[in-house]
């Protein structure tokens, strides 16, 4: 695996891959890699002859009181994971490469509207930070395909909207969430959970599955089922930010004719914010 920390090194390597006629798939990450990331790399391999990953803990997507400083940085573990996933190239830039004129001066890319809803309503500026860095990475790597996890459902949609709005020639692939045997979605932030919280954590997914089953059984009394899920989570010891059912295509409120839906939630367990979602389809 070729590792490069500079834009000039990256461009040289990308040019080499292009000269040899290889299609390039790209998986951006913030490191602390787990089996969910490895699944993204495997999917990337299905779409291209060369897989490029990046590791960059992006300061632009963390709020002032969030965990940027404490976010786990596990370089040697990550290298092993990338090698075992057969990744061809790792781009691991320093902040000076990604924000050369400083964080405040960085040109931003923001998808209006949806960036400030759902998780965006609770993490102001988060998605602007995500789309800004993903756009920059897309410009630097110039991949044919990029792969994102559907655990971050809103991020996946926002990246698709940004790519389409900016006319970027990148196909965006979404990969289903990888879960622990008890249902907990894999996430780097699961490492923050105490043993007690870890036992409770799968109840977030269970609450979403119950919500889904209720909508499938009883139809779209969404406000009531969402409220019920919030109460369930609270009684399990979570502090929910939101539980909402939206349509899959654009994460807007579903209308009477919408069939493809997704239930999304974010909830705190102690000091850890967990997110999850469940896609489902109503019968016509
Ligand atoms: O999902 C992530 O790990 C990050 O949001 C991403 C896409 C790498 C952008 O920093």
């Amino acid at each position: 695996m070729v590792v490069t920390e500079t834009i000039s090194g990256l461009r040289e390597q990308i040019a080499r891959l292009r000269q040899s006629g290889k299609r390039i798939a790209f998986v951006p990450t913030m490191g602390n890699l787990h089996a969910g990331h490895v699944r993204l790399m495997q999917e990337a391999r299905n779409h291209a002859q060369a897989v490029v990953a990046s590791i960059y803990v992006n300061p632009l997507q963390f709020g002032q009181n969030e965990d940027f400083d404490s976010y786990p940085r596990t370089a040697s573990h990550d290298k092993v994971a990338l090698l075992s996933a057969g990744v061809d190239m790792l781009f691991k830039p320093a902040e000076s490469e990604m924000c050369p004129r400083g964080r405040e001066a960085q040109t931003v890319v923001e998808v209006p509207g949806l960036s400030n809803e759902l998780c965006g309503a609770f993490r102001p500026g988060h998605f602007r930070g995500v789309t800004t860095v993903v756009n920059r990475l897309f410009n630097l790597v110039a991949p044919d395909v990029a792969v994102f996890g559907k655990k971050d459902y809103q991020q996946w949609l926002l990246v698709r909207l940004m790519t389409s709005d900016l006319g970027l020639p990148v196909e965006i692939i979404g990969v289903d969430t990888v879960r622990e045997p008890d249902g907990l979605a894999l996430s780097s932030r699961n490492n923050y959970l105490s043993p007690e919280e870890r036992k409770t954590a799968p109840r977030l997914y269970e609450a979403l599955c119950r919500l889904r089953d209720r909508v499938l059984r009883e139809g779209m009394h969404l406000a009531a089922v969402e409220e019920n899920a919030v109460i369930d989570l609270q009684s399990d010891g979570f502090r929910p930010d939101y539980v909402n059912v939206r349509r899959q295509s654009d994460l807007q409120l579903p209308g009477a004719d919408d069939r493809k839906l997704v239930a999304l939630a974010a909830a705190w367990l102690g000091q850890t914010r967990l997110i999850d979602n469940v896609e489902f389809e109503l019968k016509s």
Side-chain angles (χ1 to χ4, degrees):
M1 180 174 70
V2 178
V3 181
T4 174
E5 298 185 356
T6 61
I7 290 172
S8 56
L10 173 74
R11 289 212 156 116
E12 217 172 276
Q13 295 300 331
I14 294 287
R16 232 172 250 168
L17 292 173
R18 288 282 173 217
Q19 270 155 20
S20 58
K22 288 188 171 155
R23 234 174 105 77
I24 298 173
F26 177 48
V27 185
T29 81
M30 298 207 299
N32 195 228
L33 303 178
H34 51 62
H37 294 109
V38 171
R39 178 72 198 87
L40 302 184
M41 318 279 169
Q42 289 164 343
E43 184 61 27
R45 176 65 64 198
N46 294 336
H47 296 270
Q49 294 85 36
V51 176
V52 178
S54 65
I55 294 181
Y56 178 61
V57 184
N58 169 29
L60 301 178
Q61 69 188 74
F62 288 80
Q64 271 190 347
N65 299 316
E66 294 186 351
D67 55 343
F68 175 68
D69 290 329
S70 58
Y71 196 84
R73 287 148 172 96
T74 53
S76 44
H77 157 91
D78 291 347
K79 204 165 171 195
V80 174
L82 293 168
L83 283 169
S84 74
V87 167
D88 299 286
M89 193 193 302
L90 169 63
F91 179 47
K92 202 170 174 303
E95 192 177 329
S96 54
E97 287 290 88
M98 292 303 286
C99 294
R101 294 185 304 112
R103 291 180 200 176
E104 298 304 321
Q106 179 67 39
T107 298
V108 297
V109 174
E110 181 169 13
V111 179
L114 182 61
S115 290
N116 299 310
E117 295 175 27
L118 300 166
C119 277
F122 295 88
R123 302 186 68 188
H126 166 68
F127 287 117
R128 181 176 57 231
V130 170
T131 43
T132 295
V133 84
V134 170
N135 177 59
R136 182 156 170 79
L137 287 166
F138 281 1
N139 284 327
L140 297 173
V141 176
D144 299 288
V145 181
V147 183
F148 290 80
K150 284 162 75 171
K151 186 188 72 92
D152 297 295
Y153 206 91
Q154 189 175 2
Q155 167 174 283
W156 174 53
L157 176 57
L158 285 166
V159 168
R160 279 184 287 158
L161 293 175
M162 174 196 76
T163 305
S164 156
D165 287 354
L166 298 182
L168 305 178
V170 186
E171 183 189 351
I172 308 298
I173 309 280
V175 173
D176 287 342
T177 302
V178 178
R179 298 183 181 280
E180 299 282 6
D182 62 8
L184 177 65
L186 295 195
S187 162
S188 300
R189 291 192 167 100
N190 294 350
N191 295 327
Y192 298 159
L193 297 168
S194 71
E196 211 45 47
E197 289 165 351
R198 173 62 189 81
K199 278 190 215 151
T200 306
R203 297 198 190 151
L204 179 60
Y205 178 55
E206 289 167 21
L208 287 173
C209 291
R210 274 199 304 279
L211 184 160
R212 170 202 59 200
D213 294 345
R214 222 181 129 185
V215 175
L216 289 174
R217 232 181 17 245
E218 298 170 19
M220 295 239 276
H221 311 290
L222 294 185
V225 286
E226 288 167 356
E227 182 56 24
N228 233 282
V230 166
I231 292 167
D232 279 0
L233 287 170
Q234 283 168 338
S235 64
D236 282 333
F238 289 89
R239 299 187 311 284
D241 275 351
Y242 67 86
V243 178
N244 284 132
V245 177
R246 295 288 177 101
R247 57 183 184 213
Q248 290 177 19
S249 56
D250 56 6
L251 289 182
Q252 295 308 303
L253 292 175
D257 295 335
D258 289 314
R259 292 286 163 264
K260 291 188 173 202
L261 306 179
V262 54
L264 309 110
W268 290 86
L269 204 47
Q271 299 304 306
T272 309
R273 187 175 188 272
L274 300 175
I275 60 171
D276 206 345
N277 65 80
V278 173
E279 289 179 306
F280 60 100
E281 191 165 345
L282 297 175
K283 292 209 177 73
S284 305

